[in-house]
Amino acid sequence: MKIDLTDTTASKVNKALVEGRRAIGTPAVGMVLTMVIVTDEENAYDSIKAAEEASREHPSRTLVVIKRHARSPRDRQGNRLDAEVRVGADAGTGETVLLRLYGEVGQHADSVVLPLLLPDAPVVVWWPVDAPDVPAKDPLGALAQRRITDAYAVEDPLSALAARAASYAPGDTDLAWTRLTPWRSMLAAALDQAGAEITSAAVESEAENPSAELLARWLGARLGVPVERVTTEGPVVTAVRLGTAGGEIRIDRPEGPLAQLTLPGQPQRTLALKVRTTSELIAEELRRLDADEMYAVALRGDGTKERVQHA
């Protein structure tokens, strides 16, 4: 069910949500959080689709904030909020509200979003593109327990990581870090099996890959060894090599969903290591809303020399 509202207010949007739920017989009590997506028209469709797929695991109210720019000088002087309310099958397992903000209303998006948040439920804000320099101090980011950015969406990912490190606050995270979860798990398992002291490390990836940079910083911080960055044709992270006195530990994924694990003195093994979809990444982030301390360690590249499996 879809309800279109033109030149409306947050209270009218709330009323439309209640009417929509009543019409299809769906209560709001099953939703566990509010997801706020701050994006543009170009990226709105893909972002909404990813959020709706993630809502199958985490039923939520999704508020999509789109700041619009009027075409004519006359229209630019007007302030307006248009909304599209989706409930039932049109909104995954929760509710979706598209909020298009015109004029000065766009500068006060938090005042529009605040009345629409689910009461007594966590708030997550996701910027698929154009994230603020300091997410925690952004008016919308200040409403959230979790703030999700994506260094892949910027022209200079490594500069973006430097800015994130300088402005980090508990609750910040980045999908470039989330993409590394399978790599981190496999590296931890490999080190458990090898039981050897690591003397060197290298991360191979395409150039300027933010996930590879975070992985290298994390390994350096946790293992206490310099980590070499090796540029390959990709895609994304293609291999990690850890040197030991007895030989090299290596996870190699040049392409496709499979990787090869090599341990000293053991036969090579094949592992599943696919590139995950955005909806899978968002679903993972919604499983825990506390501070991601390991992301902070990876951002800053600091920490003590510890085994990876303790991370």
Side-chain angles (χ1 to χ4, degrees):
M1 181 177 181
K2 295 183 181 180
I3 303 172
D4 291 319
L5 302 171
T6 303
D7 197 7
T8 188
T9 63
S11 62
K12 292 179 180 178
V13 173
N14 250 328
K15 183 178 179 181
L17 283 167
V18 173
E19 292 175 350
R21 288 198 303 270
R22 185 181 298 122
I24 64 174
T26 303
V29 293
M31 290 179 285
V32 298
L33 60 90
T34 303
M35 164 77 84
V36 181
I37 304 174
V38 187
T39 185
D40 54 19
E41 287 286 3
E42 181 181 355
N43 294 279
Y45 176 82
D46 290 338
S47 303
I48 294 169
K49 183 178 179 182
E52 288 180 352
E53 290 177 359
S55 74
R56 301 179 192 280
E57 182 177 338
H58 309 277
S60 59
R61 173 177 291 178
T62 302
L63 307 177
V64 186
V65 178
I66 304 172
K67 298 179 183 180
R68 295 293 302 270
H69 299 282
R71 296 181 179 180
S72 68
R74 180 179 179 181
D75 289 340
R76 294 191 192 106
Q77 297 176 3
N79 302 311
R80 191 173 87 240
L81 167 65
D82 292 345
E84 179 184 320
V85 177
R86 302 177 183 177
V87 293
D90 291 312
T93 59
E95 301 170 338
T96 300
V97 182
L98 278 70
L99 302 167
R100 292 183 170 89
L101 284 61
Y102 296 81
E104 291 187 7
V105 177
Q107 306 303 316
H108 305 281
D110 55 316
S111 64
V112 176
V113 167
L114 187 59
L116 301 176
L117 301 178
L118 289 172
D120 303 320
V123 179
V124 177
V125 178
W126 171 32
W127 294 271
V129 294
D130 300 328
D133 293 334
V134 185
K137 293 185 178 180
D138 179 83
L140 288 173
L143 300 174
Q145 285 74 41
R146 196 73 158 179
R147 297 169 293 275
I148 305 173
T149 56
D150 192 352
Y152 275 79
V154 301
E155 292 185 4
D156 189 347
L158 301 190
S159 294
L161 291 182
R164 297 280 175 266
S167 65
Y168 174 81
D172 290 355
T173 193
D174 196 285
L175 294 185
W177 174 246
T178 317
R179 292 180 177 94
L180 294 173
T181 301
W183 282 94
R184 294 171 58 206
S185 298
M186 290 185 180
L187 287 167
L191 284 175
D192 272 339
Q193 295 179 55
E197 183 76 12
I198 304 301
T199 58
S200 64
V203 174
E204 302 180 6
S205 74
E206 61 190 4
E208 303 294 315
N209 184 277
S211 291
E213 180 62 25
L214 287 172
L215 182 57
R217 295 182 188 182
W218 177 69
L219 288 171
R222 306 306 281 176
L223 297 173
V225 298
V227 181
E228 181 184 4
R229 280 74 157 172
V230 180
T231 301
T232 65
E233 294 183 358
V236 296
V237 180
T238 55
V240 174
R241 293 182 281 111
L242 304 176
T244 72
E248 187 175 73
I249 300 170
R250 181 183 180 95
I251 298 179
D252 192 2
R253 185 193 63 184
E255 59 182 357
L258 299 179
Q260 301 296 324
L261 170 63
T262 304
L263 295 172
Q266 298 186 27
Q268 192 176 77
R269 306 175 197 175
T270 299
L271 306 172
L273 192 58
K274 70 172 185 174
V275 176
R276 295 182 296 166
T277 64
T278 303
S279 62
E280 290 174 311
L281 301 176
I282 293 296
E284 178 184 326
E285 283 300 330
L286 298 183
R287 288 181 198 130
R288 52 173 294 179
L289 301 178
D290 55 337
D292 192 341
E293 296 177 357
M294 285 302 101
Y295 170 61
V297 168
L299 268 180
R300 296 165 178 161
D302 58 13
T304 58
K305 184 177 180 179
E306 300 177 33
R307 291 285 297 279
V308 172
Q309 63 263 33
H310 295 158

